[in-house]
Amino acid sequence: MAPISLEKIEAIAPDQASLVAARKLVKPAGWSGVAGDDAGLIWGECQGSGSSPYRVVVSEADAGYQCTCPSRKFPCKHSLALMWMRAEGKIPFGLAPSPAWVLDWVRRRRPSASAASVKEEAASEPRSLARAATEPAEPIDAKAEARALAARERSRQEREEAVLAGLEDLDRWLLDQIDAGLAGFAAHAGKSCRSIAQRLVDRKAPGLASRLDSLPSRIYSLPEHLRSTVALEQLGQLHLLAEAYRRQESLGAGLRADVRREVGWTQSRESLLTEEGALCAAGDWRVVGALSEVQPDRLRRLETWLWRESPGEGPEVAVLLDFIPVASGQTRGAYRTGERMTATLAFYPSARPMRALIKEVKVPAALDEGLLGPSRRDLSGTLAEYEEALSHIPWTHTWPMRFDKARVRRTGESLFLCSRDDGRVALPLLGTQTERIRPLLALEEIDGFGLWDGYWFRLCLAQTPLGRWVSE
Amino acid sequence: MRAEELKSHILPILLAGTRRESSDRLMALGASRENAVLNALSLAGQSLRFTRPPIPSQLAVESWPRDERRIVPDPLRPLLFRLLDRSTDNTARAVALALDSRKLRLHPFDLPKLDGFARRYSELLGATAQYWVRRETPARAARGYFEADELTDETWSEGELRARVKFLKALRKREPEGARTLLEKSWPRENPESRLQLLATIETSLSLEDRPFLESIQKDRAPRVRSIAQRLVAILSGTSGDHPAIRACMERLEKTQSGLFKKKTRLKLELPATVKEHETNRWIEEKFSEVSLDGLASGCEMPVAGLLEAAEEDENLLFALALISSREGRVDLLGAITDLLPDAWARMSTLNWENGLERGLDERADWARALVKPGRWLPEVPFPAWSWLHRQMEGPLPEKIMSEILDSRVWKEPIEAGKTGGSELVQVICALCPRELRERVRADLAPVEVERRDKGWMLLEILDTLEGLR
């Protein structure tokens, strides 16, 4: 496992002050139990201002980290210092079996990794039939298991019924809105959406509730003349979802999974990573976009968009999603736009698989100045792909677009991403990006990656004659 | 039902409200009214989603200026972000000056992130940065984008004011008449600040040829412009002692004789009773802003050298003379004044007073040698005075002065172990440090806590890298 690089540490540090603080901890004094394993985990205990030392663990594979200090910065100076010591290589990290607190973190963090690690640990122990005979086997209470299974099934049934009742509520609410006329919906969208969203939460359909909760802000982000038609589009999608849910038995497996996920059913990371036959794609993945947005439920949504640059089977685009409490203070994920890694991803089932988890990392993410692999599509082509996806999954929200041969143009203060050759497409660029994107106006042609939500294009990365432009 | 029909017939119904709606087209979309309305909503909504965004009828043509400067090397870009994030103004200025001297420019993609830096130092950062900071300026009000050394007789009025002043002053030295003609032509289009600074260049190689022009602007709308024009005319007519500003100063000067055997003339500056102690420097600056050394000497009926001797017991008058001699570039006299008034530069630093934008590096170094004498005095409250000094120098201090500063307790005490703060002082000293002494500063800073030395250290690294670029 390649050690984490200094550039990577610099990139993930929340600010300069954290680096300065970490630098002071990059010395053996103050640290104890600094060690690592051959699977890319390093750990140590750092004596801070508290009575007991802070326990720090870092996963080199994906720059994941955990520290017991109360800092509100992520990564904290202790995590940065541990990475730094590892990157500099001046302090030896002895090979040692992972302590329980490290294993515990790994287990909670990524079950597959913990499973692998625990398996390896088990494999390293000497096998002994005699010991197996003497060790008491854990008794299995078949009745208790059956009771638990029945309880889970009962709970699932109850939730199904609650969701269906919630969809009835949604239908009634939609009819009320349409009866009153959607031209005036934007005026009372906040209060109105909040009330139905709360009802849907009670009816155990948090996915739909979340859509409704974010609807007002989405509408208000648009020019006034578009708001009523956009409200109509969004409410129409809610009804489509409700209908699809009621008829899910007639849908294909992928689309059914999409519908259930949109309504609020979740599949655990553990089950996806251990699922036999889950769609996987291995290759060289480029981080082409990293988003960090606060949701109405006070969770921060971290999106990491990946583009597969090596040929192979499976999806070319993937998105890793993480949700963290806003109160934690963390504002960025572990990956930076432009990084590249070799990994196997497992995809959640979908008619258009895109959301994924990292199953295995062969080469950890590191900044790579190489050019993006060609997409072979211009902007018109990628827009056509979006429209095709829309016909399969009508409630598609954000669609990734990897494009070649485009250019940024301006009219007034609005910027547009235009197709270079035919001029048949001009996608309005997100207003909040205007200043950052403005230097691209000077260029005749860019390749890149961005996200289109039907109204705004969010440019994430551009490959230009002047080098790489990233939105972060 | 086709998408167009949905848009033309169903959409207006959904927007207006369906409470009393019983249109056949709408009802045909479902088995019941509720069903039909909800289906209509989904179908109309989905048809809208396939509508591509309209293409604007006109897209603006961007004409970014030609910029011959090289872009800062990629490895330096993240370092610059880190350095300029919450750094002092001195650090930012030192970087801008280094970029200018190496004819480097910021990467265009970095301009949004370094917008504040680009705005403050656009004239040192090349045409692209100038274009960037003026992007909101209406096209008709925008000037061209030129390097100071690219200006010609034809383009000089298009450059930044600072570059124009520099150009005009240099031209004035070579061709006084040509420079004045250029100024005369552009005069009606200049704003008061430009008029003030451009007119000051006429003092270089002043001659009787300039008199008609100077007389023509005696009624300028800006009082300070009028005052400069009157002073210059007075110099030309040999009646500088009659200038109103000098008369006003003379009313405040008390001239006495002292000594038993050899009578010595003494001058004393009487401050008005309404001027409080903290207002003294400002009052002196304002009072003497339009006064020349020659004019003052003439008003006092003594030679210029005699002024100093007569004023040696009055610190306020010495300060006034320091200001005037500084402004006129009389470093010989300034050096003599600071022997008597070594804290003159700290007093200057409390004012908005500027040393003169158009001075060359050598002139600034001579000025610093005359003004700053670390062996005699260094400021007790360090940072603002140092910061001012860097602003005036626009570059490093002469090696000897800096070496004395580095030997002084003013530098050594704040960076002692166990002390807190001092990052600002470290930055300004690093910004003022000439290349030859950087290793010494690094050696001094090595034992200092990282957060106190970090920015200064990084500045030295970046300056070294920039200066080492080929």
Side-chain angles (χ1 to χ4, degrees):
Chain A
M1 182 69 60
I4 203 159
S5 66
L6 288 171
E7 290 75 26
K8 177 80 180 173
I9 297 168
E10 212 169 74
I12 64 174
D15 52 31
Q16 179 62 22
S18 298
L19 279 176
V20 170
R23 186 76 191 93
K24 288 193 275 185
L25 297 173
V26 183
K27 52 192 174 190
W31 285 90
S32 60
V34 175
D37 65 10
D38 51 7
L41 278 178
I42 52 171
W43 60 87
E45 296 188 1
C46 181
Q47 187 58 57
S49 51
S51 56
S52 54
Y54 301 129
R55 288 175 160 176
V56 193
V57 55
V58 170
S59 162
E60 290 185 285
D62 55 1
Y65 51 84
Q66 164 78 10
C67 178
T68 56
C69 77
S71 170
R72 294 174 70 87
K73 288 188 176 177
F74 298 94
C76 65
K77 61 182 179 180
H78 310 103
S79 306
L80 289 170
L82 188 69
M83 295 180 203
W84 204 327
M85 289 195 290
R86 178 68 157 181
E88 284 191 339
K90 291 176 184 167
I91 296 156
F93 280 67
L95 269 181
S98 311
W101 58 271
V102 172
L103 286 176
D104 182 50
W105 175 69
V106 175
R107 197 171 288 122
R108 276 188 288 115
R109 179 171 181 256
R110 205 176 63 200
S112 67
S114 74
S117 183
V118 170
K119 266 185 225 161
E120 276 171 24
E121 221 170 60
S124 64
E125 285 178 11
R127 293 181 177 85
S128 159
L129 284 173
R131 213 178 77 194
T134 53
E135 277 179 8
E138 279 192 22
I140 297 169
D141 185 345
K143 280 186 185 170
E145 281 221 336
R147 273 200 305 275
L149 193 66
R152 278 201 296 273
E153 180 55 25
R154 203 166 45 247
S155 161
R156 195 188 66 79
Q157 283 291 348
E158 282 171 7
R159 183 174 176 189
E160 289 284 5
E161 284 164 19
V163 169
L164 287 172
L167 297 183
E168 294 301 317
D169 289 347
L170 178 64
D171 277 354
R172 274 193 294 278
W173 179 81
L174 286 172
L175 279 168
D176 287 347
Q177 307 311 313
I178 303 165
D179 278 350
L182 295 177
F185 177 78
H188 57 87
K191 194 176 169 190
S192 183
C193 288
R194 186 69 232 140
S195 81
I196 183 67
Q198 278 169 346
R199 247 184 293 163
L200 287 169
V201 168
D202 294 342
R203 300 291 196 179
K204 298 184 169 48
L208 290 176
S210 175
R211 262 186 181 255
L212 277 156
D213 254 342
S214 57
L215 181 56
S217 59
R218 195 156 189 209
I219 293 174
Y220 297 139
S221 73
L222 293 159
E224 206 163 341
H225 68 277
L226 288 178
R227 288 178 185 170
S228 47
T229 49
V230 170
L232 190 147
E233 284 178 40
Q234 297 291 321
L235 297 181
Q237 286 173 51
L238 283 167
H239 177 61
L240 275 174
L241 266 172
E243 276 300 287
Y245 190 85
R246 291 187 191 104
R247 300 181 198 174
Q248 55 182 293
E249 298 309 322
S250 62
L251 303 176
L255 194 55
R256 187 162 63 242
D258 282 324
V259 172
R260 292 181 69 78
R261 195 163 41 247
E262 289 292 333
V263 167
W265 292 88
T266 54
Q267 180 180 7
S268 71
R269 298 164 73 95
E270 296 90 330
S271 74
L272 177 64
L273 290 166
T274 53
E275 186 180 309
E276 295 269 333
L279 177 64
C280 290
D284 299 329
W285 296 92
R286 168 88 66 181
V287 181
V288 283
L291 264 68
S292 169
E293 282 180 352
V294 176
Q295 299 186 152
D297 55 6
R298 306 300 294 160
L299 282 177
R300 185 177 285 281
R301 177 188 173 95
L302 300 174
E303 292 181 12
T304 306
W305 288 87
L306 304 169
W307 172 261
R308 183 158 53 77
E309 293 190 323
S310 57
E313 294 293 312
E316 280 186 323
V317 185
V319 59
L320 311 176
L321 285 187
D322 287 293
F323 298 90
I324 50 170
V326 171
S328 74
Q330 184 178 347
T331 56
R332 299 198 295 189
Y335 299 101
R336 296 289 165 272
T337 305
E339 290 181 340
R340 200 164 187 251
M341 65 176 156
T342 306
T344 303
L345 306 188
F347 288 80
Y348 285 90
S350 165
R352 287 281 187 281
M354 207 175 298
R355 188 180 168 189
L357 293 177
I358 295 179
K359 190 166 188 176
E360 187 189 4
V361 176
K362 283 192 179 144
V363 179
L367 200 61
D368 183 309
E369 295 298 338
L371 296 178
L372 282 175
S375 78
R376 301 176 298 281
R377 301 171 188 85
D378 60 8
L379 205 55
S380 303
T382 50
L383 192 60
E385 281 181 352
Y386 161 73
E387 288 163 345
E388 203 224 328
L390 213 52
S391 63
H392 284 88
I393 310 177
W395 47 84
T396 294
H397 177 219
T398 302
W399 189 251
M401 286 189 174
R402 167 76 181 89
F403 60 87
D404 283 347
K405 295 182 180 171
R407 61 183 174 186
V408 177
R409 288 294 176 260
R410 179 176 67 85
T411 178
E413 282 307 299
S414 305
L415 301 187
F416 292 82
L417 186 70
C418 305
S419 50
R420 171 82 178 83
D421 294 332
D422 55 16
R424 286 187 302 157
V425 176
L427 304 179
L429 285 154
L430 199 61
T432 52
Q433 286 193 305
T434 302
E435 284 303 289
R436 294 276 291 119
I437 291 178
R438 204 180 272 266
L440 297 178
L441 282 165
L443 303 168
E444 276 306 306
E445 184 174 307
I446 60 170
D447 302 338
F449 177 87
L451 301 169
W452 172 242
D453 67 1
Y455 314 111
W456 302 112
F457 190 85
R458 178 193 291 271
L459 189 61
C460 296
L461 178 147
Q463 193 77 53
T464 80
L466 285 177
R468 183 180 294 154
W469 177 96
V470 293
S471 64
E472 291 164 60
Chain B
M1 191 175 285
R2 300 179 65 80
E4 287 313 310
E5 284 180 85
L6 282 166
K7 285 182 201 165
S8 58
H9 294 104
I10 302 299
L11 187 61
I13 295 172
L14 294 170
L15 290 174
T18 54
R19 209 179 294 280
R20 294 191 189 83
E21 185 58 50
S22 56
S23 145
D24 289 344
R25 277 202 176 97
L26 180 67
M27 292 308 138
L29 292 173
S32 63
R33 182 186 173 278
E34 287 77 11
N35 196 240
V37 168
L38 290 172
N39 285 348
L41 172 71
S42 294
L43 286 168
Q46 204 56 12
S47 70
L48 287 172
R49 294 199 75 193
F50 284 88
T51 309
R52 290 190 171 189
I55 298 173
S57 54
Q58 280 190 324
L59 291 165
V61 177
E62 292 285 318
S63 52
W64 284 56
R66 178 180 59 88
D67 197 333
E68 298 296 339
R69 290 186 174 206
R70 279 185 299 156
I71 292 176
V72 168
D74 276 346
L76 271 182
R77 292 169 60 197
L79 292 179
L80 283 177
F81 286 140
R82 282 170 51 200
L83 177 67
L84 297 173
D85 175 28
R86 282 173 282 178
S87 66
T88 63
D89 203 30
N90 312 101
T91 297
R93 188 182 308 109
V95 171
L97 289 164
L99 291 173
D100 187 41
S101 71
R102 303 299 301 171
K103 288 287 173 253
L104 290 165
R105 61 177 163 128
L106 295 174
H107 194 294
F109 296 170
D110 298 341
L111 288 168
K113 276 189 184 173
L114 298 176
D115 186 60
F117 173 67
R119 279 179 192 278
R120 190 157 174 81
Y121 297 106
S122 63
E123 60 199 27
L124 297 171
L125 301 175
T128 307
Q130 288 170 27
Y131 178 83
W132 172 259
V133 300
R134 288 195 235 146
R135 63 193 181 278
E136 286 141 15
T137 310
R140 63 182 180 279
R143 290 175 179 274
Y145 310 97
F146 297 96
E147 295 283 352
D149 49 11
E150 275 181 356
L151 287 177
T152 64
D153 289 5
E154 284 73 39
T155 61
W156 87 283
S157 61
E158 295 290 306
E160 293 275 340
L161 178 58
R162 179 193 174 98
R164 298 174 68 207
V165 170
K166 194 173 168 187
F167 171 83
L168 202 63
K169 187 169 183 191
L171 185 63
R172 186 79 184 154
K173 282 179 185 166
R174 295 194 314 270
E175 290 176 52
E177 202 173 327
R180 192 194 59 245
T181 310
L182 280 182
L183 183 57
E184 278 181 289
K185 277 185 192 165
S186 77
W187 191 260
R189 296 190 299 276
E190 303 293 346
N191 62 37
E193 181 60 26
S194 305
R195 294 204 299 275
L196 186 70
Q197 295 207 28
L198 292 169
L199 182 60
T201 64
I202 292 292
E203 198 161 358
T204 305
S205 311
L206 186 67
S207 72
L208 285 171
E209 306 288 318
D210 302 317
R211 186 165 185 154
F213 169 62
L214 292 170
E215 284 178 342
S216 74
I217 58 171
Q218 298 276 310
K219 291 185 178 172
D220 192 275
R221 289 186 301 279
R224 291 188 65 195
V225 173
R226 280 201 303 271
S227 180
I228 291 181
Q230 285 164 8
R231 178 168 63 83
L232 295 176
V233 169
I235 291 171
L236 287 174
S237 55
T239 57
S240 52
D242 293 339
H243 189 269
I246 292 177
R247 280 201 301 275
C249 288
M250 293 309 298
E251 286 168 12
R252 288 278 153 201
L253 285 176
E254 186 189 342
K255 195 172 175 185
T256 56
Q257 299 283 321
S258 69
L260 287 173
F261 302 108
K262 189 178 173 188
K263 294 284 184 193
K264 283 175 99 176
T265 305
R266 297 283 173 214
L267 286 173
K268 183 170 171 50
L269 181 60
E270 293 287 345
L271 301 181
T274 51
V275 175
K276 299 190 173 63
E277 192 179 343
H278 68 274
E279 296 167 337
T280 306
N281 293 343
R282 173 120 10 251
W283 183 86
I284 292 171
E285 182 207 12
E286 283 172 12
K287 201 75 187 167
F288 289 84
S289 63
E290 303 303 333
V291 174
S292 66
L293 278 174
D294 291 331
L296 192 62
S298 163
C300 293
E301 295 169 342
M302 58 175 68
V304 170
L307 274 180
L308 178 58
E309 199 180 334
E312 65 184 13
E313 287 177 5
D314 186 335
E315 289 193 350
N316 286 334
L317 186 54
L318 282 175
F319 179 58
L321 294 177
L323 285 176
I324 303 170
S325 50
S326 222
R327 196 173 59 222
E328 293 184 3
R330 298 282 294 271
V331 291
D332 52 334
L333 192 65
L334 182 62
I337 293 169
T338 53
D339 283 342
L340 300 168
L341 189 70
D343 67 341
W345 65 281
R347 291 182 67 171
M348 286 179 186
S349 72
T350 63
L351 306 170
N352 286 329
W353 188 83
E354 299 294 331
N355 180 30
L357 296 170
E358 70 286 1
R359 281 194 187 158
L361 284 177
D362 291 343
E363 285 173 297
R364 288 200 178 100
D366 289 342
W367 172 80
R369 276 187 275 270
L371 188 66
V372 182
K373 293 172 178 168
R376 297 179 66 88
W377 186 86
L378 282 170
E380 287 296 324
V381 184
F383 181 67
W386 292 114
S387 182
W388 175 84
L389 191 58
H390 185 248
R391 201 162 64 242
Q392 306 313 312
M393 288 302 295
E394 298 209 321
L397 279 171
E399 186 179 348
K400 184 171 176 297
I401 297 178
M402 181 48 83
S403 182
E404 287 180 45
I405 291 169
L406 295 180
D407 285 334
S408 72
R409 65 183 176 81
V410 165
W411 167 243
K412 293 204 177 292
E413 274 183 13
I415 60 169
E416 276 174 7
K419 295 241 166 122
T420 55
S423 168
E424 290 177 336
L425 177 68
V426 169
Q427 287 181 62
V428 73
I429 292 294
C430 289
L432 282 165
C433 181
R435 192 177 192 171
E436 301 76 25
L437 291 175
R438 282 185 198 150
E439 277 314 309
R440 189 173 156 197
V441 171
R442 281 195 186 94
D444 286 350
L445 289 177
V448 176
E449 291 86 347
V450 179
E451 69 266 28
R452 295 167 67 199
R453 70 163 195 226
D454 185 48
K455 292 271 181 192
W457 193 284
M458 207 189 303
L459 173 62
L460 295 182
E461 297 288 315
I462 287 176
L463 293 179
D464 276 347
T465 310
L466 287 174
E467 287 163 11
L469 288 175
R470 289 175 182 276

